[in-house]
């Protein structure tokens, strides 16, 4: 915790109260954000462990490390943990919780106790999933497809399904809190058109959380009922329809990927103007594109089902709509790039992550269009091409944004500066490791290597070896921030209120902030991103 | 009142002393009430999607297996279903009157109306329980000695498939079961609200919990308003 | 920014008369009986349509009058309600569109 170097008299949210009870019973959104930070980091490592098993197995064409059943469990739990227990909560529950009230000039979220409840729901769900894991795990694939999950699998499907059902409510409550907060808790003068784009993106994310998550909740509940009561609603031999499950599952799970990417785009929208020292280009277009992504994102789900037996006509419609959803994302990429044009760009750690995001998300997004093309999808569906695509957007996109955001707001959260040289090094290692891991997967997928297979033809081995090598480098890149960020808590230089000279209300209060965020409720009389009136950041701050 | 930003700096401290129910992060009780109301409406929105997933399954299978669904529907107790619909409508009336009583500060009337609401809720569950018991006796509960051959025999022209009929009953019990769970939660919430009302916690300036609990209750009623025709009235024409 | 208005009582809150609520109750009861009765008359495919129309009327009445949506100045309330209903329709319509267009031609 920040102690000696910060003025000992100054009360902030970290030293306001001590003791485990003050943390576990807190209603302070900033403390809850840190509770989430610790929890999701833990699950990131559990999910990463399964990734390690997968990549080790795939070093050789033979299935020699794990049995086939164990391999099925490895990729299933890797996916479920990473999606439901890491990516979906990550930025909203950590950075969103921490920053949104401050960004709008409020003392807390609208429902602080519900905020704490959402963390406890997450913990209970996570505990249940861990119990499932140690009891033997689940092997249905992260997508729980029926009738395998509802009838034939001999693994702990019910426990896994219930735990994801429960964690969905954590997500719903977070979304609920954010939407009501943005509508009802803005400070005087903080109009919608002055809101940071971070808030706009999280607002759009919250709409998806609210309208989408209940559908997967009821779907998993039906699978659990099917399994316990042997109902037959998803069993083809008894008139059930597995494709119905897929419709219901993907109605949420496609928008879920926008839950994972929109918050990351939120972070990029804050980092890019700051380190270009320039007002963001096309504010209203970026804001509108967040809403458009959320809305159109609900209209494309059956592109996961092109070869599942849906009608050709509906496939055509969903293919077209999937092309449409790329447009608002492209708008953001163009606008961020235009923001940098003729700006005063500095290559700080957060900005390096932002660059990485822009490049890698573009590749991931474009390959999404290849997959949306019906004819191409027939060939690459269920191959490593798909895996490469979604890892480019979710890791190259979402995780890079998450790391960039953690670094950007670290001084605000902890009151300390992280060591800049190490930050940049880690960002580069992540970028290189990531590309080495996943680019070969595009190739090997296109060449025909199926996903979820633990054996493969020997001609694919070179790509798999490259991929595993990349994963080792990527792991180093992820471990480094853990080390130096923790180091900075004790030895890092104390952070000023606004080390980056960024706009945004959160930078007008101390680092770390006081419990109620502001000494006095701010009154906003200026527009967002007024970088032309901001001084340049301290050279020393940027280059340390 | 809609969407207005907070009222600025100091009023917080003063309000706090006057209004113990005002939570510290709100500027005034109106902001608090508006936040609670919007929160409850959004929660109801999520509930629409939650039930909606089951409605989707119901619609897909009804379309595919219409005769089986119709036969299953006819086997349901129409009197009980209609009566239950009326019971819930009565409960929505008492809820609306209760909210009104809280707006006017009529404590005794409020408590009585809340108790009446709970009473109607319990009536609903009792009638539902009676129906389920009846369905169990007739072997129409999936998993528990399910046997739809009686329906097959009763509808010889329709050539029913007992497995498709089982899908109807699975969805029937899933839908009414989840609905009943929501009723039970509603009764629990109203019990707490009734206790608070009895203790005099509500007045014309502060009755937000009554309002938002009322919204939840009305929603549960509305779900039933749709379940009734979709489950009980698929095809009750004479000769069907 | 601070107005000199008593923020303790929300004067925009609508308080209905008890007579009016009883009237709504009566309409809903009549509609219920009606819907049960009409189901026993052969209207062909329109049986379902009529049943759903009556159900939607009943639901709308509950929403507008019992849940006070008619009297609220909050645009967000109506927006949330419409959004949720619309989203549900998206799920239902697009899924059924798949099923209805299979084996066509």
């Amino acid at each position: 915790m920040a102690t000696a170097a910060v003025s000992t008299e100054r009360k902030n949210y970290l030293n306001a109260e001590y003791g485990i009870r003050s943390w576990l019973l807190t209603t302070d959104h900033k403390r809850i954000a840190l509770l989430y930070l610790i929890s999701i980091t833990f699950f990131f490592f559990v999910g990463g462990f399964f990734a390690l098993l997968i990549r080790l197995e795939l070093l050789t064409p033979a299935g020699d490390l794990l049995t086939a059943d164990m391999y099925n469990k490895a990729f299933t739990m890797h996916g479920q943990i990473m999606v439901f227990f890491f990516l979906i909560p990550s930025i909203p529950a950590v950075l969103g919780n921490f920053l949104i009230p401050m960004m709008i000039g409020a003392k807390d979220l609208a429902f602080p106790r519900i905020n704490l409840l959402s963390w406890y729901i997450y913990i209970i769900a996570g505990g249940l999933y861990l119990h499932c894991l140690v009891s033997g795990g689940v092997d249905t694939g992260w997508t729980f497809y029926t009738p395998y999950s509802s009838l034939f699998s001999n693994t702990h499907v019910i426990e896994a399904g219930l735990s994801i059902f429960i964690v969905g409510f954590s997500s719903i409550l977070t979304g609920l809190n954010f939407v009501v907060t943005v509508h009802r808790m803005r400070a005087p003068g903080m109009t919608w058109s002055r809101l940071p784009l971070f808030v706009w993106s999280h607002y759009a994310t919250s709409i998806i959380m609210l309208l989408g998550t209940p559908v997967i909740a009821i779907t998993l509940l039906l699978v659990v009922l099917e399994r316990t009561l042997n109902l037959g609603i998803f069993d083809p031999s008894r008139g059930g329809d597995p494709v119905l499950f897929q419709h219901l599952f993907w109605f949420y799970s496609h928008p879920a990927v926008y839950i994972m990417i929109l918050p990351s785009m939120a972070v990029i929208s804050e980092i890019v103007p700051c380190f270009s020292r320039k007002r963001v280009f096309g504010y209203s277009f970026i804001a509108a594109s967040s809403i458009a992504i959320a809305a159109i994102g609900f209209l494309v789900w059956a592109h996961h089902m092109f070869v599942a037996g849906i009608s050709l006509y509906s496939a055509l419609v969903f293919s077209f709509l999937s092309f449409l959803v790329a447009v608002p994302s492209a708008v953001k990429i163009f606008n961020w790039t235009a923001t940098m044009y003729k700006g005063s760009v500095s290559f700080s750690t957060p900005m390096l992550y932002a660059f990485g995001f822009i490049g890698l998300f573009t590749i991931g997004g474009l390959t999404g269009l290849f997959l949306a093309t019906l004819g191409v999808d027939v060939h690459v569906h269920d191959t490593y091409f798909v895996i490469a695509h979604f890892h480019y957007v979710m890791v190259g996109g979402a995780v890079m944004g998450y790391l960039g955001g953690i670094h950007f707001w670290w001084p605000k959260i902890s009151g300390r500066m992280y060591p800049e040289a190490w930050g940049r090094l880690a960002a580069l290692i992540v970028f290189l490791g990531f590309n080495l891991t996943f680019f070969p997967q595009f190739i090997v997928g296109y060449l025909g290597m199926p996903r979820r297979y633990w054996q493969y033809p020997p001609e694919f081995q070179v790509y798999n070896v490259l991929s595993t090598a990349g994963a080792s480098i990527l792991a180093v890149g992820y471990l480094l921030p853990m080390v130096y960020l923790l180091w900075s808590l004790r030895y890092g230089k104390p952070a000023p209120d606004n080390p980056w000279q960024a706009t945004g209300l959160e930078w007008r209060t101390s680092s770390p902030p006081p419990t109620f965020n502001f000494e006095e409720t701010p009154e906003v009389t200026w527009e967002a991103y007024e970088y032309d009136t901001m001084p340049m950041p301290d050279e020393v701050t940027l280059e340390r | 009142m809609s969407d207005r930003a907070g009222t600025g700096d100091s009023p917080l401290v003063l309000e706090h002393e006057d209004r113990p129910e005002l939570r510290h992060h709100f500027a005034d009780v109106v902001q608090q009430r508006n936040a609670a109301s919007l929160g409850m409406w959004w929660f109801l929105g999520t509930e629409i999607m939650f039930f909606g997933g089951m409605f989707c399954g119901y619609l897909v299978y009804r379309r595919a297996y219409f005769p089986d669904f119709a036969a299953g529907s006819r086997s349901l107790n129409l009197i009980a279903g209609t009566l239950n619909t009326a019971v819930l409508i009565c409960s929505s009336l008492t809820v609306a009157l209760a909210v009104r009583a809280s707006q006017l500060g009529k404590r005794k009337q409020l408590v009585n109306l809340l108790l009446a609401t709970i009473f109607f809720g319990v009536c609903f569950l009792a009638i539902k329980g009676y129906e389920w018991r009846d369905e169990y006796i007739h072997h129409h509960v999936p998993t528990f000695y399910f046997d739809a051959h009686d329906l097959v025999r009763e509808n010889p022209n329709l050539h029913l498939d007992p497995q498709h009929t089982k899908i109807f009953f699975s969805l029937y019990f899933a839908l009414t079961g989840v609905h009943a769970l929501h009723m039970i939660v509603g009764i629990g919430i109203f019990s707490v609200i009734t206790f608070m009302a009895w203790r005099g916690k509500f007045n014309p300036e502060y009755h937000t919990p009554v309002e938002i609990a009322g919204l939840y209750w009305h929603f549960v009623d509305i779900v039933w308003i749709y379940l009734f025709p979709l489950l009980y009235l698929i095809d009750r024409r004479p000769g069907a | 920014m601070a107005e000199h208005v008593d923020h303790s009582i929300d004067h925009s809150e609508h308080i209905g008369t008890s007579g009016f609520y009883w009237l709504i109750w009566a309409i809903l009861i009549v509609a219920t009986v009606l819907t049960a009765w009409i189901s026993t008359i052969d209207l062909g495919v329109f049986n379902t349509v009529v049943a759903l129309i009556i159900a939607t009327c009943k639901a709308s009445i509950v929403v507008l009058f019992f849940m006070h949506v008619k009297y609220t100045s909050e645009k967000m309330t109506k927006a949330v309600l419409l959004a949720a209903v619309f989203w549900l329709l998206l799920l239902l319509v697009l899924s059924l569109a798949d099923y209805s267009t299979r084996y066509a031609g």
Side-chain angles (χ1 to χ4, degrees):
Chain A
M1 303 292 143
T3 49
V6 178
S7 150
T8 44
E9 285 86 38
R10 211 152 61 150
K11 278 271 183 216
N12 57 61
Y13 79 101
L14 290 169
N15 60 27
E17 277 183 288
Y18 289 108
I20 194 91
R21 272 184 57 124
S22 75
W23 281 88
L24 293 182
L25 294 177
T26 183
T27 53
D28 179 357
H29 64 100
K30 300 182 289 300
R31 286 191 167 203
I32 294 174
L34 292 187
L35 291 175
Y36 267 111
L37 175 61
I38 297 168
S39 329
I40 65 159
T41 307
F42 169 76
F43 277 102
F44 179 73
F45 281 106
V46 180
F49 165 73
F50 287 110
L52 172 74
L53 287 181
I54 293 170
R55 291 282 12 127
L56 282 177
E57 169 59 73
L58 291 179
L59 270 176
T60 60
D64 41 14
L65 180 67
L66 306 169
T67 63
D69 282 340
M70 281 172 64
Y71 187 77
N72 291 347
K73 291 179 182 179
F75 66 69
T76 301
M77 292 193 281
H78 167 72
Q80 289 178 347
I81 292 173
M82 287 306 204
V83 168
F84 295 110
F85 292 98
F86 173 65
L87 277 169
I88 285 176
S90 61
I91 298 176
V94 178
L95 295 174
N97 260 331
F98 195 96
L99 296 166
I100 287 177
M102 289 198 287
M103 286 180 165
I104 64 174
K107 291 181 163 17
D108 207 317
L109 290 175
F111 308 119
R113 289 174 299 190
I114 289 184
N115 199 12
L116 183 65
L117 176 66
S118 83
W119 181 73
Y120 275 106
I121 292 176
Y122 174 89
I123 292 297
I124 291 169
L128 187 58
Y129 196 90
L130 288 174
H131 182 262
C132 162
L133 200 166
V134 301
S135 310
V138 57
D139 69 349
T140 59
W142 83 274
T143 49
F144 280 117
Y145 273 13
T146 61
Y148 182 69
S149 63
S150 53
L151 267 185
F152 299 109
S153 172
N154 290 320
T155 59
H156 300 261
V157 177
I158 292 175
E159 242 187 309
L162 280 177
S163 88
I164 293 170
F165 172 83
I166 295 171
V167 84
F169 287 101
S170 173
S171 194
I172 288 173
L173 291 178
T174 298
L176 189 78
N177 233 331
F178 286 173
V179 170
V180 177
T181 301
V182 175
H183 275 286
R184 298 280 185 250
M185 312 280 290
R186 286 169 287 126
M190 178 54 79
T191 60
W192 284 90
S193 61
R194 290 176 178 165
L195 279 178
L197 291 166
F198 182 95
V199 179
W200 273 102
S201 264
H202 275 81
Y203 182 85
T205 305
S206 303
I207 304 285
I208 306 177
M209 285 171 161
L210 287 167
L211 292 174
T213 317
V215 178
I216 196 178
I218 193 64
T219 309
L220 290 175
L221 197 64
L222 286 174
V223 171
V224 167
L225 284 175
E226 166 98 343
R227 221 175 138 80
T228 41
L229 302 176
N230 202 14
L231 296 174
I233 53 180
F234 295 125
D235 176 9
S237 70
R238 286 182 276 174
D241 185 6
V243 175
L244 171 67
F245 170 83
Q246 293 186 29
H247 273 300
L248 292 173
F249 177 83
W250 287 112
F251 181 83
Y252 164 74
S253 299
H254 185 82
V257 314
Y258 299 111
I259 294 179
M260 295 187 260
I261 199 68
L262 274 170
S264 200
M265 292 171 158
V267 171
I268 304 303
S269 289
E270 297 302 316
I271 291 178
V272 168
C274 178
F275 294 104
S276 310
R277 307 314 298 169
K278 208 168 149 250
R279 186 171 240 135
V280 74
F281 181 87
Y283 172 96
S284 30
F285 272 83
I286 300 188
S289 72
S290 294
I291 304 296
I293 289 172
I296 306 177
F298 269 99
L299 304 178
V300 302
W301 77 84
H303 66 223
H304 299 269
M305 299 160 62
F306 283 154
V307 296
I310 63 174
S311 85
L312 176 62
Y313 303 99
S314 73
L316 285 168
V317 168
F318 278 105
S319 170
F320 171 73
L321 290 168
S322 303
F323 271 80
L324 212 56
V325 79
V327 172
S329 297
V331 164
K332 286 191 195 258
I333 300 281
F334 291 140
N335 285 18
W336 290 323
T337 313
T339 304
M340 289 190 255
Y341 179 64
K342 291 198 175 173
S344 174
V345 176
S346 51
F347 293 80
S348 61
T349 305
M351 195 57 161
L352 289 180
Y353 281 112
F355 283 138
F357 178 101
I358 291 174
L360 300 177
F361 174 77
T362 301
I363 295 175
L366 280 175
T367 52
L369 288 174
F370 302 162
L371 289 163
T373 312
L374 277 175
V376 175
D377 188 68
V378 169
H379 291 280
V380 294
H381 175 78
D382 267 352
T383 67
Y384 263 82
F385 192 90
V386 178
I387 296 194
H389 155 71
F390 66 68
H391 282 92
Y392 261 80
V393 281
M394 292 207 286
V395 182
V399 177
M400 300 277 276
Y402 173 70
L403 290 173
I406 291 287
H407 284 80
F408 185 57
W409 282 290
W410 188 255
K412 183 59 55 185
I413 293 172
S414 66
R416 302 283 183 157
M417 303 300 292
Y418 59 84
E420 179 67 18
W422 282 100
R424 292 179 187 175
L425 178 66
L428 281 172
I429 294 176
V430 165
F431 184 80
L432 290 169
F434 171 84
N435 280 300
L436 186 58
T437 309
F438 292 105
F439 200 82
Q441 292 186 9
F442 274 127
I443 303 174
V444 80
Y446 188 73
L447 290 175
M449 178 173 169
R451 66 186 286 193
R452 296 176 172 171
Y453 276 42
W454 107 122
Q455 284 175 325
Y456 55 82
E459 57 260 35
F460 295 148
Q461 183 173 20
V462 61
Y463 303 101
N464 280 287
V465 170
L466 286 172
S467 185
T468 301
S472 334
I473 299 172
L474 186 58
V476 171
Y478 288 145
L479 283 169
L480 275 176
M482 291 250 8
V483 172
Y484 63 70
L485 288 177
L486 281 172
W487 174 91
S488 79
L489 287 178
R490 193 162 159 80
Y491 301 108
K493 187 172 163 220
D497 290 3
N498 194 353
W500 317 119
Q501 290 302 327
T503 63
L505 286 177
E506 75 271 25
W507 301 107
R508 287 172 187 250
T509 185
S510 59
S511 302
T515 302
F516 294 109
N517 298 335
F518 302 98
E519 300 294 333
E520 278 187 19
T521 302
E523 268 193 54
V524 180
T525 55
W526 55 91
E527 301 303 313
Y529 306 106
E530 291 207 330
Y531 278 102
D532 26 356
T533 61
M534 295 293 287
M536 291 293 283
D538 186 2
E539 288 294 310
V540 175
T541 308
L542 283 181
E543 271 167 37
R544 279 180 335 97
Chain B
M1 288 305 139
S2 64
D3 271 21
R4 69 176 177 78
T7 51
D9 17 28
S10 314
L12 233 88
V13 175
L14 281 172
E15 292 263 18
H16 229 305
E17 287 166 19
D18 291 337
R19 323 297 312 272
E21 62 267 0
L22 177 67
R23 305 221 38 239
H24 67 85
H25 54 284
F26 287 112
D28 55 51
V29 281
V30 176
Q31 189 188 33
Q32 182 173 293
R33 174 178 167 261
N34 288 341
S37 170
L38 183 61
M40 176 50 81
W41 274 105
W42 262 115
F43 176 70
L44 296 181
T46 69
E47 291 276 52
I48 289 175
M49 296 309 292
F50 187 70
F51 278 95
M54 281 191 287
F55 279 119
C56 184
Y58 162 91
L59 282 175
V60 167
Y61 284 126
R62 172 183 164 143
R63 200 180 153 273
Y65 306 135
F66 186 83
D68 309 86
F69 269 53
S73 168
R74 277 191 296 274
S75 78
L76 299 179
N77 186 336
L78 181 61
I79 307 287
T82 313
L83 191 58
N84 254 347
T85 311
V87 164
L88 279 190
I89 289 171
C90 292
S91 74
S92 269
L93 171 66
T94 53
V95 166
L97 290 173
V99 171
R100 179 172 175 277
S102 72
Q103 288 171 320
L104 297 172
K106 299 184 173 178
R107 189 182 75 93
K108 202 148 171 291
Q109 193 183 81
L110 170 62
V111 172
N112 288 337
L113 287 164
L114 290 172
L115 287 171
T117 307
I118 294 175
F119 167 74
F120 284 121
V122 172
C123 278
F124 177 90
L125 289 173
I127 296 174
K128 200 90 213 75
Y130 167 78
E131 279 184 271
W132 284 345
R133 184 180 154 275
D134 210 42
E135 277 139 13
Y136 173 74
I137 290 171
H138 285 96
H139 303 289
H140 288 168
V141 181
T143 305
F144 300 99
Y145 310 106
F146 182 83
D147 183 0
H149 285 96
D150 56 337
L151 292 177
V152 178
R153 280 192 298 274
E154 283 164 29
N155 298 278
N157 303 331
L158 297 178
H159 306 291
L160 301 179
D161 182 338
Q163 292 186 328
H164 298 173
T165 319
K166 185 177 176 186
I167 292 182
F168 169 79
F169 284 104
S170 300
L171 283 167
Y172 165 79
F173 280 102
L175 281 162
T176 56
V178 172
H179 179 263
L181 271 173
H182 281 79
M183 279 299 310
I184 294 172
V185 168
I187 291 172
I189 292 174
F190 267 74
S191 305
V192 171
I193 300 287
T194 308
F195 179 71
M196 288 169 73
W198 178 66
R199 293 290 295 263
K201 291 249 192 281
F202 304 124
N203 50 62
E205 291 85 39
Y206 176 72
H207 47 271
T208 310
V210 182
E211 277 180 50
I212 64 176
L215 289 178
Y216 174 82
W217 191 277
H218 288 305
F219 171 77
V220 178
D221 181 15
I222 288 174
V223 172
W224 183 262
I225 284 175
Y226 277 98
L227 285 185
F228 175 58
L230 290 175
L231 292 173
Y232 289 79
L233 307 179
I234 294 182
D235 188 4
R236 294 231 175 223
R237 295 170 296 168
Chain C
M1 283 289 155
E3 302 138 13
H4 295 287
V5 174
D6 179 7
H7 285 290
S8 57
I9 297 184
D10 185 355
H11 295 287
S12 69
E13 222 184 311
H14 172 265
I15 306 180
T17 62
S18 66
F20 180 68
Y21 289 134
W22 278 98
L23 173 66
I24 298 297
W25 170 84
I27 294 174
L28 289 168
I29 295 289
V30 166
T32 303
V33 172
L34 185 69
T35 214
W37 173 69
I38 283 190
S39 71
T40 61
I41 298 175
D42 190 343
L43 299 171
V45 69
F46 286 102
N47 274 106
T48 310
V49 174
V50 168
L52 285 175
I53 287 177
I54 296 179
T56 304
C57 288
K58 287 164 74 178
S60 306
I61 290 173
V62 172
V63 164
L64 287 170
F65 301 111
F66 279 163
M67 296 169 90
H68 300 143
V69 170
K70 179 127 176 46
Y71 309 109
T72 184
S73 54
E74 297 290 346
K75 287 177 301 215
M76 276 319 296
T77 303
K78 298 173 198 177
V80 171
L81 182 57
L82 290 172
V85 170
F86 179 71
W87 244 253
L88 174 60
L89 289 175
L90 276 180
L91 170 63
L92 299 179
V93 168
L94 285 174
S95 301
L96 285 171
D98 168 32
Y99 286 95
S100 350
T101 54
R102 292 192 195 168
Y103 323 120

